[in-house]
Amino acid sequence: VFPVQADGTPLCMLEEFIYEPHAYVKLWKHHGGEAEATYIDNVIKERNETWIQLYGGKVSREWMLPKVLETLNHAPNVYEAADRYMEAMDWITWMMTGEETRSVNGAGYKAFYNHQTGYPSKDFFTTIDARMENYVEDKLHAPIKKLGETAGYLAADMANTLGLSAGTPIGVPMIDAHCGVLGGGVTKPGEMMLV
């Protein structure tokens, strides 16, 4: 997860944020947002948000919202400067195609998106922090694409860099461990794979 400008430039690449740790990528294993994850869990319980059951009933410090809230708490200038918060897989796809999209896999698993209900409510984010009232509109808004769809087509400049043909279809990305389940042949109820 990391903050970027409207054109996709990571904030850590800007002179003003070069020494600001919260402007850099926060890997899944960055656990600095533990207090934020606990706080978000408490808000969810107080509000009786039933959608949390889709995620095992508990927020992980490894997901997007605790990492974003950690940045807002410790480096609000980074949060304010960010036009978007991106999952790395969606950012790579954006840079390859020139089209900003989000994978339903990342948006669903890491940012609480649901195709039927969308993201959690504006009221939920306002309860988390009043500065997050427009979090979805301001920091996440982009077309969400399903797995198996084309995210876009390889842009000419990226095709030159990669030595591939411009216009090559680029698939919607998927979280690595989730791909591993399908790649491992685990496709039926009752089967399990540990990654």
Side-chain angles (χ1 to χ4, degrees), residues 35-175:
E36 286 78 7
T38 300
Y39 169 71
I40 295 164
D41 266 335
N42 290 336
V43 169
I44 288 169
K45 287 177 185 140
E46 288 170 13
R47 292 175 51 89
N48 195 30
E49 297 282 0
T50 57
W51 52 259
I52 194 62
Q53 296 313 312
L54 297 170
Y55 305 94
K58 184 170 176 27
V59 175
S60 172
R61 61 192 173 211
E62 297 177 353
W63 296 344
M64 181 179 272
L65 187 55
K67 294 177 187 318
V68 172
L69 185 57
E70 177 193 20
T71 300
L72 181 57
N73 287 340
H74 298 284
N77 59 326
V78 171
Y79 179 85
E80 289 303 320
D83 291 310
R84 292 285 188 267
Y85 268 90
M86 299 299 297
E87 287 284 343
M89 64 182 178
D90 292 322
W91 180 80
I92 290 168
T93 303
W94 182 9
M95 295 302 101
M96 291 177 72
T97 64
E99 295 179 48
E100 183 187 0
T101 62
R102 292 189 185 269
S103 165
V104 70
N105 182 237
Y109 185 67
K110 300 284 185 101
F112 308 125
Y113 176 81
N114 180 292
H115 266 317
Q116 284 75 43
T117 58
Y119 289 105
S121 70
K122 183 179 283 210
D123 186 56
F124 168 75
F125 289 111
T126 303
T127 303
I128 296 295
D129 190 299
R131 297 170 291 178
M132 295 186 83
E133 178 182 8
N134 296 313
Y135 170 65
V136 172
E137 297 89 339
D138 293 346
K139 309 295 185 187
L140 297 180
H141 183 73
I144 295 178
K145 300 222 174 171
K146 296 177 185 176
L147 299 175
E149 283 189 84
T150 299
Y153 298 89
L154 191 60
D157 61 334
M158 191 58 74
N160 288 334
T161 300
L162 298 173
L164 298 171
S165 299
T168 300
I170 304 298
V172 172
M174 186 175 188
I175 296 169

Side-chain angles (χ1 to χ4, degrees), residues 174-187 192-195:
M174 186 175 188
I175 296 169
D176 55 356
H178 297 193
C179 292
V181 171
L182 296 175
V186 178
T187 60
M192 182 171 87
M193 178 178 181
L194 298 178
V195 178

